């Protein structure tokens, strides 16, 4: 890659991941550091977002940078037919860094190859969401005290879920055991199962989601069934209510269990789980701020002391 873009979690070595997590820890101690007073960050969201966009923009603000961009592509000239290439070339004229979410898989890689300034992938279709993965890793490290040798249960939409795909790739450095829990229609694609086999990562697969299965987990990673990824709405209707985690299902869970979810949730986690100390999804989203401060500084090659 010709610049320091972050497109795929696979671009990061184990050492790099650990060093970024250490940077995030420093930002959690002190999030307000004017390290980017002369920088402009382009925030291009071709798809809807709450957490990713707002935490990137908060990170930029807390670092003293200014933010330009759009949260709705219909207000940009993309709605008049301007190509992604031209949009990227224009924004790179104005900004020092582009943070981009796009519905097309591979859009972030394409943008990073064109852009004279670095690009951070804020989610490209069903492909990857590397900054989410970094905050997931930070959340796992904070709650478990380690990233090593954990039983990680991935639940829900494992077919289209870019967060679970990125997490699976990242965890290859840390000797995990995965448990894939999904309806048949949304099971983990073969390329990711093959990745596990090639990297000697043990995994189980089931359509069952119950107390007994939850009792084995260190991390229960819940996901939403994403209506926007289905071409056939009837297929979505069949699986949209496949799993629902309730507080009573956690009775026999391990003391160290933490429940993660990239959010937004629809109905897959009942509200009665929110007050359980094992529910960690709101803190997980907060961790996104510190991790994204670290990622912005890293791609801009800014030293953090
Ligand atoms: N986790 C996540 O990507 O949330 P948003 O879609 O709200 O950014």
């Amino acid at each position: 890659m010709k610049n320091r873009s972050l497109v795929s979690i696979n671009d990061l070595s184990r050492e790099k991941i650990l060093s970024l997590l250490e940077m995030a820890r420093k930002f959690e101690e002190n999030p307000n550091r004017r390290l980017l007073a002369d920088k402009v960050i382009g925030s291009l969201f071709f798809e809807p977002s709450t957490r990713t966009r707002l935490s990137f923009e908060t990170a930029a603000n807390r670092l003293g940078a200014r933010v330009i961009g759009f949260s709705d592509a219909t207000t940009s000239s993309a709605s008049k037919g301007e190509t992604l290439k031209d949009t990227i070339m224009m924004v790179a004229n104005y900004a020092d860094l582009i943070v981009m979410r796009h519905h097309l898989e591979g859009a972030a890689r394409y943008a990073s190859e064109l852009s004279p300034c670095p690009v951070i992938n804020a989610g490209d279709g069903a492909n990857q969401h590397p900054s989410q993965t970094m905050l997931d890793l930070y959340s796992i490290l904070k709650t478990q005290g380690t990233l090593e040798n954990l039983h990680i249960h991935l639940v829900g939409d494992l077919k289209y879920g870019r967060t679970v795909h990125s997490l699976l790739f990242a965890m290859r450095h840390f000797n995990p055991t995965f448990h894939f829990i999904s309806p048949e229609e949304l099971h983990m694609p073969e390329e990711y199962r093959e990745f596990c086999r090639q990297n000697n990562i043990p995994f189980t697969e089931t359509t069952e989601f119950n107390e007994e299965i939850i009792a084995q987990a260190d991390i229960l990673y819940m996901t939403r069934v994403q209506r926007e990824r289905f071409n056939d709405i009837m297929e979505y209707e069949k699986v949209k209510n496949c799993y629902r985690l309730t507080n009573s299902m956690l009775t026999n869970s391990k003391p160290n269990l933490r429940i993660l979810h990239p959010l937004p949730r629809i109905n897959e986690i009942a509200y009665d789980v929110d007050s359980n100390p094992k529910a960690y999804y709101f803190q997980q989203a907060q961790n996104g701020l510190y991790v994204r401060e670290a990622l912005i500084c890293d791609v801009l090659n800014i030293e953090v002391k």
Side-chain angles (χ1 to χ4, degrees):
M1 206 170 301
K2 71 181 177 190
N3 57 38
R4 298 171 62 90
S5 295
L6 175 58
V7 169
S8 163
I9 199 72
N10 298 339
D11 298 337
L12 303 181
S13 65
R14 175 190 162 95
E15 291 66 35
K16 184 70 184 181
I17 287 172
L18 294 175
S19 121
L20 286 166
L21 296 179
E22 174 56 18
M23 268 169 84
R25 190 192 62 73
K26 291 180 185 167
F27 279 117
E28 182 165 4
E29 280 177 3
N30 177 12
N32 299 309
R33 304 175 189 227
R34 292 190 64 79
L35 297 170
L36 304 181
D38 59 343
K39 302 292 186 199
V40 174
I41 294 179
S43 171
L44 309 186
F45 278 74
F46 292 86
E47 268 197 336
S49 167
T50 296
R51 276 146 295 276
T52 309
R53 185 176 68 82
L54 294 181
S55 61
F56 264 119
E57 294 186 6
T58 305
N61 279 295
R62 290 195 181 276
L63 293 167
R66 278 153 292 177
V67 179
I68 60 168
F70 51 81
S71 56
D72 177 355
T74 62
T75 65
S76 80
S77 285
S79 66
K80 301 176 203 162
E82 186 161 50
T83 62
L84 179 59
K85 175 181 178 182
D86 288 3
T87 303
I88 293 297
M89 297 310 286
M90 286 307 101
V91 178
N93 281 338
Y94 312 134
D96 301 289
L97 160 68
I98 293 173
V99 176
M100 186 181 83
R101 171 171 289 187
H102 201 280
H103 52 276
L104 289 179
E105 295 174 29
R109 177 75 63 194
Y110 177 68
S112 75
E113 286 168 0
L114 294 167
S115 173
C117 72
V119 173
I120 296 180
N121 180 6
D124 61 329
N127 186 32
Q128 286 233 1
H129 195 349
S131 69
Q132 176 72 45
T133 300
M134 288 304 300
L135 78 89
D136 293 343
L137 294 177
Y138 189 64
S139 300
I140 294 170
L141 183 60
K142 268 178 74 176
T143 60
Q144 306 296 314
T146 180
L147 292 171
E148 304 282 348
N149 302 316
L150 296 170
H151 281 261
I152 300 182
H153 290 43
L154 304 176
V155 184
D157 179 359
L158 308 187
K159 180 177 181 183
Y160 299 113
R162 58 192 174 200
T163 62
V164 294
H165 299 158
S166 287
L167 183 60
L168 187 148
F169 284 140
M171 287 304 298
R172 75 188 187 280
H173 300 298
F174 305 106
N175 198 29
T177 301
F178 279 113
H179 303 269
F180 301 148
I181 302 162
S182 70
E184 290 293 346
E185 295 87 341
L186 296 176
H187 76 173
M188 186 62 85
E190 175 55 20
E191 66 182 284
Y192 299 102
R193 288 184 285 152
E194 183 56 22
F195 177 87
C196 288
R197 289 183 206 106
Q198 286 185 357
N199 287 275
N200 298 316
I201 298 172
F203 67 91
T204 67
E205 291 187 279
T206 179
T207 57
E208 299 293 316
F209 182 51
N210 55 40
E211 201 175 323
E212 201 179 319
I213 284 168
I214 292 169
Q216 305 159 12
D218 299 306
I219 294 292
L220 188 59
Y221 195 98
M222 301 294 297
T223 64
R224 168 177 72 98
V225 177
Q226 304 171 86
R227 188 179 54 192
E228 66 273 27
R229 306 277 176 236
F230 286 77
N231 292 323
D232 180 350
I233 198 68
M234 293 312 292
E235 291 299 311
Y236 169 72
E237 291 293 326
K238 268 195 247 169
V239 290
K240 69 176 185 184
N241 297 320
C242 55
Y243 302 127
R244 181 170 170 81
L245 177 67
T246 60
N247 202 33
S248 63
M249 294 166 78
L250 299 169
T251 308
N252 293 320
S253 59
K254 291 186 183 177
N256 63 305
L257 172 76
R258 290 296 177 275
I259 302 152
L260 303 187
H261 191 312
L263 303 177
R265 72 171 147 184
I266 306 300
N267 57 2
E268 59 279 0
I269 301 180
Y271 287 123
D272 71 356
V273 178
D274 293 358
S275 53
N276 190 313
K278 294 175 181 175
Y280 194 74
Y281 27 92
F282 295 123
Q283 296 100 312
Q284 178 189 1
Q286 183 183 24
N287 290 335
L289 169 62
Y290 316 126
V291 165
R292 288 176 172 129
E293 287 188 281
L295 293 175
I296 290 171
C297 287
D298 183 68
V299 297
L300 290 173
N301 208 12
I302 306 284
E303 191 183 358
V304 179
K305 293 194 179 118

